[in-house]
Coordinates of all heavy atoms in Angstrom, one line a residue:
M203 N 13.4 2.3 -4.2 CA 12.4 1.3 -4.0 C 11.0 1.9 -4.3 O 10.8 3.1 -4.3 CB 12.4 0.9 -2.5 CG 13.6 0.2 -2.1 SD 13.6 -0.4 -0.4 CE 13.2 -2.1 -0.8
K204 N 10.1 1.0 -4.7 CA 8.7 1.5 -5.0 C 7.8 1.1 -3.9 O 7.7 -0.1 -3.5 CB 8.3 0.8 -6.2 CG 9.2 1.2 -7.5 CD 8.9 0.4 -8.7 CE 7.4 0.3 -9.2 NZ 7.2 -0.4 -10.4
F205 N 7.0 2.1 -3.4 CA 6.1 1.9 -2.3 C 4.7 2.3 -2.7 O 4.5 3.2 -3.5 CB 6.5 2.7 -1.1 CG 7.7 2.3 -0.4 CD1 9.0 2.9 -0.8 CD2 7.8 1.3 0.6 CE1 10.1 2.6 -0.2 CE2 8.9 1.0 1.2 CZ 10.1 1.6 0.8
L206 N 3.7 1.5 -2.2 CA 2.3 2.0 -2.3 C 1.9 2.2 -0.9 O 1.9 1.3 0.0 CB 1.5 0.9 -2.9 CG -0.1 1.1 -3.0 CD1 -0.3 2.4 -3.8 CD2 -0.7 -0.1 -3.5
L207 N 1.3 3.5 -0.6 CA 1.0 3.8 0.7 C -0.5 3.8 0.9 O -1.2 4.5 0.1 CB 1.5 5.2 1.0 CG 3.0 5.6 0.9 CD1 3.4 6.9 1.4 CD2 3.8 4.5 1.7
D208 N -1.0 3.0 1.9 CA -2.4 3.0 2.0 C -2.9 4.3 2.7 O -2.1 5.2 3.2 CB -2.7 1.8 3.1 CG -4.1 1.4 3.1 OD1 -5.0 2.0 2.4 OD2 -4.4 0.4 3.9
V209 N -4.2 4.5 2.7 CA -4.8 5.8 3.2 C -4.5 6.1 4.7 O -4.5 7.2 5.1 CB -6.3 5.8 3.0 CG1 -6.6 5.7 1.6 CG2 -7.0 4.7 3.7
N210 N -4.2 5.0 5.5 CA -3.9 5.2 6.9 C -2.4 5.6 7.2 O -2.1 5.7 8.4 CB -4.3 4.0 7.6 CG -3.7 2.7 7.1 OD1 -2.7 2.7 6.5 ND2 -4.3 1.5 7.4
V211 N -1.6 5.8 6.2 CA -0.2 6.1 6.4 C -0.1 7.5 6.6 O -0.6 8.3 5.8 CB 0.6 5.6 5.3 CG1 2.2 5.9 5.5 CG2 0.5 4.0 5.3
A212 N 0.7 8.0 7.6 CA 0.8 9.4 7.9 C 1.5 10.1 6.8 O 2.4 9.6 6.1 CB 1.6 9.5 9.2
G213 N 1.2 11.4 6.6 CA 1.8 12.2 5.6 C 3.3 12.4 5.8 O 4.1 12.4 4.8
S214 N 3.8 12.3 7.0 CA 5.2 12.4 7.3 C 6.0 11.2 6.7 O 7.1 11.4 6.4 CB 5.4 12.6 8.8 OG 4.9 11.4 9.5
V215 N 5.4 10.1 6.8 CA 6.0 8.9 6.2 C 6.2 9.1 4.7 O 7.3 8.9 4.0 CB 5.2 7.6 6.5 CG1 5.8 6.4 5.7 CG2 5.1 7.3 8.0
S216 N 5.2 9.5 4.1 CA 5.2 9.8 2.6 C 6.3 10.8 2.3 O 7.1 10.6 1.4 CB 3.8 10.3 2.1 OG 3.9 10.6 0.8
R217 N 6.3 11.9 3.0 CA 7.3 13.0 2.8 C 8.8 12.3 2.9 O 9.6 12.7 2.1 CB 7.1 14.1 3.8 CG 6.0 15.0 3.3 CD 5.9 16.4 4.0 NE 5.7 16.1 5.5 CZ 4.5 15.9 6.0 NH1 3.4 15.8 5.2 NH2 4.4 15.6 7.3
Y218 N 8.9 11.6 4.0 CA 10.3 11.1 4.3 C 10.7 10.2 3.1 O 11.8 10.3 2.6 CB 10.2 10.2 5.6 CG 11.5 9.6 5.8 CD1 12.7 10.2 6.3 CD2 11.7 8.1 5.6 CE1 13.9 9.6 6.5 CE2 12.8 7.6 5.8 CZ 13.9 8.2 6.3 OH 15.1 7.5 6.4
L219 N 9.8 9.3 2.7 CA 10.1 8.3 1.6 C 10.5 9.1 0.3 O 11.4 8.8 -0.4 CB 9.1 7.3 1.4 CG 8.9 6.3 2.6 CD1 7.7 5.4 2.4 CD2 10.1 5.4 2.7
K220 N 9.7 10.1 0.0 CA 9.9 11.0 -1.2 C 11.2 11.6 -1.2 O 12.0 11.6 -2.1 CB 8.7 11.9 -1.4 CG 7.5 11.3 -1.9 CD 6.3 12.4 -2.0 CE 5.0 11.8 -2.3 NZ 3.9 12.8 -2.3
E221 N 11.5 12.3 0.0 CA 12.7 13.0 0.2 C 14.0 12.1 0.2 O 15.1 12.5 -0.2 CB 12.7 13.8 1.5 CG 11.7 14.9 1.5 CD 11.5 15.6 2.9 OE1 12.2 15.1 3.8 OE2 10.8 16.5 2.9
S222 N 13.7 10.8 0.4 CA 14.8 9.8 0.3 C 14.9 9.3 -1.0 O 15.8 8.3 -1.3 CB 14.5 8.6 1.4 OG 14.4 9.1 2.7
G223 N 14.1 9.7 -2.0 CA 14.3 9.4 -3.3 C 13.5 8.1 -3.8 O 13.8 7.6 -4.9
H224 N 12.6 7.7 -3.0 CA 11.8 6.5 -3.3 C 10.7 6.8 -4.3 O 10.2 8.0 -4.3 CB 11.3 5.8 -2.1 CG 12.4 5.2 -1.2 ND1 13.2 4.2 -1.6 CD2 12.9 5.7 -0.1 CE1 14.1 4.0 -0.7 NE2 13.9 4.9 0.3
D225 N 10.2 5.9 -5.0 CA 9.0 6.1 -6.0 C 7.8 5.7 -5.1 O 7.6 4.6 -4.7 CB 9.2 5.1 -7.1 CG 8.0 5.1 -8.0 OD1 7.0 5.7 -7.8 OD2 8.3 4.5 -9.1
I226 N 7.0 6.8 -4.8 CA 5.8 6.6 -4.0 C 4.5 6.8 -4.8 O 4.3 7.8 -5.6 CB 5.9 7.7 -2.9 CG1 7.1 7.7 -2.2 CG2 4.6 7.6 -2.0 CD1 7.4 6.4 -1.5
A227 N 3.6 5.8 -4.5 CA 2.2 6.0 -5.0 C 1.3 6.0 -3.8 O 1.6 5.2 -2.8 CB 1.8 4.8 -5.9
E228 N 0.3 6.8 -3.8 CA -0.5 6.9 -2.6 C -2.0 6.5 -2.9 O -2.6 7.2 -3.9 CB -0.4 8.3 -2.0 CG 1.0 8.7 -1.5 CD 1.1 10.0 -0.9 OE1 0.7 10.3 0.2 OE2 1.4 10.9 -1.8
V229 N -2.6 5.7 -2.2 CA -4.0 5.3 -2.4 C -4.8 6.4 -2.3 O -5.8 6.7 -3.0 CB -4.5 4.1 -1.5 CG1 -5.9 3.9 -1.7 CG2 -3.6 2.9 -1.8
I230 N -4.6 7.3 -1.3 CA -5.4 8.5 -1.0 C -5.5 9.5 -2.1 O -6.4 10.1 -2.4 CB -5.0 9.2 0.3 CG1 -6.2 10.0 0.8 CG2 -3.7 10.0 0.1 CD1 -6.0 10.5 2.2
Q231 N -4.5 9.5 -3.0 CA -4.4 10.4 -4.1 C -5.2 9.8 -5.3 O -5.6 10.5 -6.2 CB -2.9 10.6 -4.6 CG -2.1 11.3 -3.6 CD -2.4 12.7 -3.3 OE1 -3.0 13.4 -4.1 NE2 -2.2 13.2 -2.1
E232 N -5.3 8.5 -5.3 CA -6.0 7.9 -6.5 C -7.4 7.5 -6.2 O -8.3 7.8 -7.1 CB -5.2 6.6 -6.8 CG -3.8 6.8 -7.3 CD -3.0 5.6 -7.5 OE1 -3.6 4.6 -7.8 OE2 -1.7 5.7 -7.3
D233 N -7.7 6.8 -5.1 CA -9.1 6.5 -4.8 C -9.1 6.2 -3.3 O -8.9 5.0 -2.9 CB -9.5 5.3 -5.6 CG -11.0 5.0 -5.3 OD1 -11.6 5.5 -4.4 OD2 -11.5 3.9 -5.8
P234 N -9.5 7.1 -2.4 CA -9.5 6.9 -0.9 C -10.4 5.8 -0.5 O -10.2 5.2 0.6 CB -10.0 8.2 -0.4 CG -9.8 9.2 -1.4 CD -9.9 8.5 -2.7
R235 N -11.3 5.4 -1.4 CA -12.2 4.3 -1.2 C -11.9 2.9 -1.8 O -12.7 2.1 -1.9 CB -13.7 4.7 -1.4 CG -14.2 5.8 -0.6 CD -15.6 6.1 -1.0 NE -16.2 7.0 0.0 CZ -17.4 7.4 0.2 NH1 -18.2 6.9 -0.7 NH2 -17.8 8.2 1.1
M236 N -10.7 2.9 -2.3 CA -10.3 1.7 -2.9 C -10.3 0.4 -2.0 O -9.8 0.6 -0.9 CB -8.8 1.9 -3.4 CG -8.4 0.7 -4.3 SD -6.5 1.0 -4.9 CE -6.6 2.4 -5.9
P237 N -11.1 -0.6 -2.5 CA -11.1 -1.8 -1.6 C -9.7 -2.4 -1.3 O -8.8 -2.3 -2.2 CB -12.0 -2.8 -2.4 CG -12.6 -1.9 -3.4 CD -11.7 -0.7 -3.7
D238 N -9.6 -3.1 -0.2 CA -8.3 -3.6 0.2 C -7.8 -4.6 -0.9 O -6.6 -4.7 -1.1 CB -8.5 -4.4 1.5 CG -8.5 -3.4 2.7 OD1 -8.3 -2.2 2.5 OD2 -8.9 -3.9 3.8
K239 N -8.7 -5.4 -1.4 CA -8.2 -6.4 -2.4 C -7.6 -5.7 -3.6 O -6.7 -6.2 -4.3 CB -9.4 -7.3 -2.8 CG -9.7 -8.3 -1.8 CD -10.8 -9.3 -2.3 CE -11.1 -10.4 -1.2 NZ -12.0 -11.4 -1.7
A240 N -8.2 -4.6 -4.1 CA -7.7 -3.8 -5.1 C -6.3 -3.2 -4.8 O -5.4 -3.1 -5.6 CB -8.7 -2.8 -5.5
I241 N -6.2 -2.7 -3.6 CA -4.9 -2.2 -3.1 C -3.8 -3.2 -3.2 O -2.7 -3.0 -3.7 CB -5.1 -1.6 -1.7 CG1 -6.0 -0.4 -1.7 CG2 -3.7 -1.2 -1.1 CD1 -6.3 0.2 -0.3
L242 N -4.2 -4.4 -2.6 CA -3.1 -5.4 -2.6 C -2.7 -5.9 -4.1 O -1.7 -6.0 -4.4 CB -3.7 -6.7 -1.9 CG -2.7 -7.9 -1.7 CD1 -1.4 -7.4 -1.1 CD2 -3.4 -9.0 -0.9
S243 N -3.8 -6.0 -5.0 CA -3.5 -6.3 -6.3 C -2.6 -5.3 -7.0 O -1.7 -5.6 -7.7 CB -4.8 -6.5 -7.2 OG -5.5 -7.6 -6.7
R244 N -2.9 -4.0 -6.7 CA -2.1 -2.9 -7.3 C -0.6 -3.0 -6.9 O 0.3 -2.9 -7.6 CB -2.7 -1.6 -6.9 CG -1.8 -0.3 -7.1 CD -2.1 0.3 -8.4 NE -1.1 1.2 -8.8 CZ -0.9 2.5 -8.3 NH1 -1.8 2.9 -7.5 NH2 0.1 3.2 -8.8
A245 N -0.5 -3.2 -5.6 CA 0.9 -3.4 -5.1 C 1.6 -4.5 -5.8 O 2.8 -4.4 -6.1 CB 0.9 -3.6 -3.5
V246 N 1.0 -5.7 -5.8 CA 1.6 -6.8 -6.5 C 1.9 -6.6 -8.0 O 3.0 -6.8 -8.5 CB 0.7 -8.1 -6.3 CG1 1.2 -9.3 -7.1 CG2 0.6 -8.5 -4.9
N247 N 0.9 -6.1 -8.7 CA 1.1 -5.8 -10.1 C 2.1 -4.8 -10.4 O 2.7 -4.9 -11.5 CB -0.3 -5.4 -10.7 CG -1.3 -6.5 -10.7 OD1 -1.0 -7.7 -10.7 ND2 -2.5 -6.2 -10.7
D248 N 2.2 -3.8 -9.5 CA 3.2 -2.7 -9.8 C 4.5 -3.0 -9.1 O 5.4 -2.1 -9.1 CB 2.6 -1.4 -9.3 CG 1.5 -0.9 -10.2 OD1 1.2 -1.5 -11.2 OD2 1.0 0.1 -9.7
N249 N 4.7 -4.1 -8.5 CA 5.9 -4.5 -7.8 C 6.2 -3.5 -6.7 O 7.4 -3.0 -6.7 CB 7.1 -4.7 -8.7 CG 6.9 -5.9 -9.6 OD1 6.5 -7.0 -9.1 ND2 7.1 -5.8 -10.9
R250 N 5.3 -3.0 -6.0 CA 5.5 -2.1 -4.9 C 5.3 -2.7 -3.5 O 4.6 -3.7 -3.4 CB 4.4 -1.0 -5.0 CG 4.6 -0.1 -6.3 CD 3.6 1.1 -6.3 NE 3.8 1.9 -7.5 CZ 4.7 2.9 -7.5 NH1 5.4 3.1 -6.4 NH2 4.8 3.5 -8.6
I251 N 6.0 -2.2 -2.6 CA 6.0 -2.6 -1.3 C 4.7 -1.8 -0.7 O 4.7 -0.7 -0.6 CB 7.2 -2.2 -0.5 CG1 8.4 -3.0 -1.0 CG2 7.1 -2.5 1.0 CD1 9.8 -2.5 -0.5
L252 N 3.8 -2.6 0.0 CA 2.7 -2.0 0.5 C 2.9 -1.5 1.9 O 3.4 -2.3 2.8 CB 1.5 -3.0 0.5 CG 0.2 -2.5 1.1 CD1 -0.4 -1.3 0.4 CD2 -0.9 -3.6 1.1
V253 N 2.7 -0.3 2.3 CA 2.8 0.3 3.6 C 1.4 0.6 4.2 O 0.7 1.4 3.6 CB 3.7 1.5 3.6 CG1 3.9 2.1 5.1 CG2 5.1 1.3 2.9
T254 N 1.1 -0.1 5.2 CA -0.2 0.2 5.8 C -0.2 -0.2 7.3 O 0.8 -0.9 7.8 CB -1.3 -0.9 5.1 OG1 -2.6 -0.6 5.6 CG2 -0.9 -2.3 5.3
T255 N -1.2 0.2 8.0 CA -1.4 -0.2 9.4 C -2.6 -1.2 9.5 O -3.0 -1.5 10.6 CB -1.5 1.0 10.3 OG1 -2.8 1.8 10.0 CG2 -0.3 1.9 10.3
D256 N -3.2 -1.5 8.4 CA -4.4 -2.3 8.3 C -4.1 -3.8 8.4 O -3.4 -4.2 7.6 CB -5.2 -2.0 7.0 CG -6.6 -2.6 7.0 OD1 -6.8 -3.6 7.7 OD2 -7.3 -2.1 6.1
K257 N -4.5 -4.4 9.5 CA -4.2 -5.9 9.7 C -4.9 -6.8 8.7 O -4.6 -7.9 8.6 CB -4.4 -6.2 11.1 CG -3.4 -5.5 12.0 CD -3.6 -6.0 13.5 CE -2.6 -5.3 14.4 NZ -2.7 -5.8 15.7
D258 N -5.9 -6.2 8.0 CA -6.6 -7.1 7.1 C -5.7 -7.7 5.9 O -6.0 -8.7 5.5 CB -7.8 -6.3 6.4 CG -8.9 -6.0 7.4 OD1 -8.9 -6.6 8.6 OD2 -9.7 -5.1 7.1
F259 N -4.7 -6.9 5.6 CA -3.9 -7.3 4.5 C -3.1 -8.6 4.9 O -2.9 -9.5 4.0 CB -2.9 -6.3 4.2 CG -3.6 -5.2 3.4 CD1 -3.9 -4.0 4.0 CD2 -3.8 -5.3 2.1 CE1 -4.6 -3.0 3.4 CE2 -4.4 -4.3 1.4 CZ -4.9 -3.1 2.0
E260 N -2.7 -8.7 6.1 CA -2.0 -9.9 6.6 C -2.8 -11.2 6.3 O -2.3 -12.2 5.8 CB -1.6 -9.8 8.1 CG -0.8 -11.0 8.6 CD -0.5 -10.8 10.0 OE1 -0.5 -9.6 10.5 OE2 -0.1 -11.8 10.7
E261 N -4.1 -11.1 6.7 CA -5.0 -12.2 6.5 C -5.2 -12.5 5.1 O -5.2 -13.7 4.6 CB -6.2 -12.1 7.2 CG -7.2 -13.3 7.2 CD -8.4 -13.2 8.1 OE1 -8.2 -12.6 9.2 OE2 -9.4 -13.6 7.7
M262 N -5.3 -11.5 4.3 CA -5.5 -11.7 2.8 C -4.3 -12.4 2.2 O -4.5 -13.3 1.3 CB -5.9 -10.4 2.1 CG -7.2 -9.8 2.3 SD -7.7 -8.4 1.2 CE -6.4 -7.3 1.6
I263 N -3.1 -12.0 2.5 CA -1.9 -12.5 2.0 C -1.8 -14.1 2.4 O -1.5 -14.9 1.6 CB -0.7 -11.8 2.4 CG1 -0.7 -10.4 1.8 CG2 0.5 -12.6 2.2 CD1 0.2 -9.5 2.3
L264 N -2.2 -14.4 3.7 CA -2.2 -15.7 4.1 C -3.1 -16.6 3.3 O -2.9 -17.7 3.0 CB -2.4 -15.9 5.7 CG -1.3 -15.2 6.5 CD1 -1.7 -15.2 7.9 CD2 0.0 -16.0 6.3
Q265 N -4.4 -16.0 3.1 CA -5.4 -16.8 2.4 C -5.0 -17.0 1.0 O -5.2 -18.1 0.4 CB -6.7 -16.0 2.4 CG -7.5 -16.1 3.7 CD -8.7 -15.2 3.8 OE1 -9.0 -14.5 2.8 NE2 -9.4 -15.3 4.8
Q266 N -4.3 -16.1 0.3 CA -3.8 -16.3 -1.0 C -2.8 -17.4 -1.1 O -2.7 -18.1 -2.1 CB -3.3 -15.0 -1.6 CG -4.3 -14.0 -2.1 CD -3.7 -12.7 -2.7 OE1 -2.5 -12.5 -2.6 NE2 -4.6 -12.0 -3.3
G267 N -1.9 -17.4 -0.1 CA -0.8 -18.5 -0.1 C -1.5 -19.8 0.1 O -0.9 -20.9 -0.3
Q268 N -2.6 -19.9 0.7 CA -3.3 -21.3 0.8 C -4.1 -21.7 -0.4 O -4.5 -22.9 -0.5 CB -4.3 -21.1 2.0 CG -3.5 -20.9 3.3 CD -4.5 -20.7 4.5 OE1 -5.7 -20.7 4.3 NE2 -3.9 -20.6 5.6
N269 N -4.3 -20.8 -1.3 CA -5.1 -21.2 -2.5 C -4.1 -21.7 -3.6 O -3.1 -21.4 -3.8 CB -5.8 -20.0 -3.1 CG -7.0 -19.5 -2.1 OD1 -7.5 -20.4 -1.3 ND2 -7.3 -18.3 -2.0

């Protein structure tokens, strides 16, 4: 599976997913200040599952569904 890990995801989660053979991309490695909208767009465009503890994403997804 392909995952995009937000900056707030623990390193242990990243290591576990990598060791399990998953394709991992990490926001912190690319741009720790990447705006949430850009993170969500990246996940969608790259067909990645977004892993985050940030509740803002839930609201953004709901708003997109209403448009």
Side-chain angles (χ1 to χ4, degrees):
M203 298 180 99
K204 294 170 57 174
F205 292 93
L206 177 60
L207 306 183
D208 197 1
V209 295
N210 54 21
V211 175
S214 59
V215 173
S216 176
R217 283 188 299 279
Y218 173 79
L219 291 171
K220 286 177 186 175
E221 289 171 1
S222 298
H224 297 289
D225 180 345
I226 305 301
E228 298 177 83
V229 173
I230 200 163
Q231 299 290 335
E232 297 173 31
D233 181 0
R235 293 184 170 191
M236 187 183 294
D238 288 348
K239 287 185 178 186
I241 294 170
L242 183 57
S243 291
R244 165 94 193 281
V246 170
N247 291 337
D248 292 354
N249 293 314
R250 291 184 178 275
I251 298 166
L252 178 59
V253 180
T254 186
T255 61
D256 190 341
K257 292 183 180 184
D258 292 346
F259 287 98
E260 182 179 338
E261 187 166 321
M262 283 191 304
I263 291 168
L264 289 173
Q265 287 176 354
Q266 284 184 347
Q268 294 173 357
N269 294 332

